[in-house]
Amino acid sequence: GQQVKQSSPSLTVQEGGILILNCDYENDMFDYFAWYKKYPDNSPTLLISVRSNVDKREDGRFTVFLNKSGKHFSLHITASQPEDTAVYLCAAGADTGYQNFYFGKGTSLTVIP
Amino acid sequence: EAAVTQSPRNKVTVTGGNVTLSCRQTNSHNYMYWYRQDTGHGLRLIHYSYGAGNLQIGDVPDGYKATRTTQEDFFLLLELASPSQTSLYFCASSDDKNNYAEQFFGPGTRLTVL
């Protein structure tokens, strides 16, 4: 089964708005959680990540919240801008001796000016 | 200077063809990965490697071989290409020194199998 699931294939928000992207995972051994951003015809780049020893990490307009008991993490984007328009991929992994990550299918975000 | 490069950037082959996708990283990273990206599936891990000579099976390995010849170079081999392997392939590298550091992706190789 799919290890990491993103509930929304797409989202649209007005410029300046707040949005939340959600990700659920299966393996309660996962201890690393990340959000990657991908523009069309470009490769993914890391946006923000968090380890399981914290439940929140903030970086400017971007905040990731982790709910380990619910096996859920989310990305909050405030003051959204047209340049935020992209595909957002969540990823999670566990230390099994080898580093391996599972990616969600992605959420396509459109910010309308 | 791009730290993860892939070649070729585009490739067209026929069913049954033999294809090698190349990836080179200059990050001095131990980990390298091959993913495929398909609409509706996101990124799926094919193979990955901890270092030269090491190979680990990912989530969708069927029909693919891989070889890590040096710390810098990781190759993905399709010995009998099929149309189902038409996809966008990404290579990535990561540093294990601090555990779960950022994955750096190459620009991608678009493969079409006719």
Side-chain angles (χ1 to χ4, degrees):
Chain A
Q2 197 178 351
Q3 293 278 349
V4 177
K5 298 177 184 177
Q6 292 183 247
S7 54
S8 301
S10 62
L11 284 173
T12 300
V13 66
Q14 203 75 31
E15 182 177 3
I18 299 172
L19 64 102
I20 301 172
L21 304 177
N22 294 297
C23 193
D24 297 295
Y25 60 94
E26 294 291 319
N27 191 337
D28 55 13
M29 296 298 292
F30 285 164
D31 62 355
Y32 172 81
F33 308 91
W35 286 94
Y36 281 76
K37 182 177 180 180
K38 184 183 182 301
Y39 292 114
D41 298 324
N42 277 282
S43 51
T45 56
L46 180 67
L47 183 60
I48 190 169
S49 64
V50 68
R51 296 297 303 272
S52 59
N53 57 342
V54 297
D55 55 14
K56 174 185 173 182
R57 185 180 176 196
E58 188 174 344
D59 183 0
R61 298 186 296 110
F62 304 95
T63 303
V64 59
F65 291 91
L66 174 62
N67 175 355
K68 285 219 74 177
S69 62
K71 291 192 282 187
H72 175 87
F73 62 109
S74 60
L75 175 68
H76 294 222
I77 304 176
T78 59
S80 56
Q81 301 167 3
E83 50 265 41
D84 294 332
T85 296
V87 173
Y88 291 80
L89 299 160
C90 63
D95 185 357
T96 60
Y98 289 105
Q99 288 190 10
N100 187 3
F101 302 96
Y102 295 89
F103 283 85
K105 293 182 179 182
T107 296
S108 178
L109 172 65
T110 302
V111 179
I112 301 171
Chain B
E1 186 77 31
V4 183
T5 56
Q6 294 182 233
S7 63
R9 295 294 312 278
N10 290 281
K11 177 72 176 179
V12 180
T13 190
V14 295
T15 300
N18 191 323
V19 177
T20 298
L21 306 184
S22 303
C23 178
R24 165 163 282 215
Q25 56 99 2
T26 57
N27 297 318
S28 300
H29 288 167
N30 283 328
Y31 278 94
M32 294 186 74
Y33 309 80
W34 275 107
Y35 295 91
R36 60 177 290 173
Q37 182 183 14
D38 305 286
T39 302
H41 290 281
L43 283 171
R44 293 183 291 174
L45 182 65
I46 304 170
H47 290 295
Y48 64 108
S49 167
Y50 178 70
N54 177 268
L55 183 64
Q56 302 297 318
I57 295 173
D59 300 320
V60 290
D62 292 346
Y64 301 96
K65 293 183 179 179
T67 180
R68 181 86 176 272
T69 54
T70 64
Q71 186 187 39
E72 294 79 19
D73 299 300
F74 195 29
F75 300 93
L76 186 68
L77 296 83
L78 293 74
E79 295 181 332
L80 286 171
S82 72
S84 64
Q85 294 176 307
T86 292
S87 186
L88 179 59
Y89 291 86
F90 284 106
C91 175
S93 73
S94 70
D95 179 5
D96 63 336
K97 293 183 178 60
N98 296 309
N99 288 333
Y100 299 111
E102 176 179 359
Q103 288 203 344
F104 293 84
F105 285 83
T109 294
R110 188 166 295 280
L111 175 67
T112 302
V113 183
L114 301 175

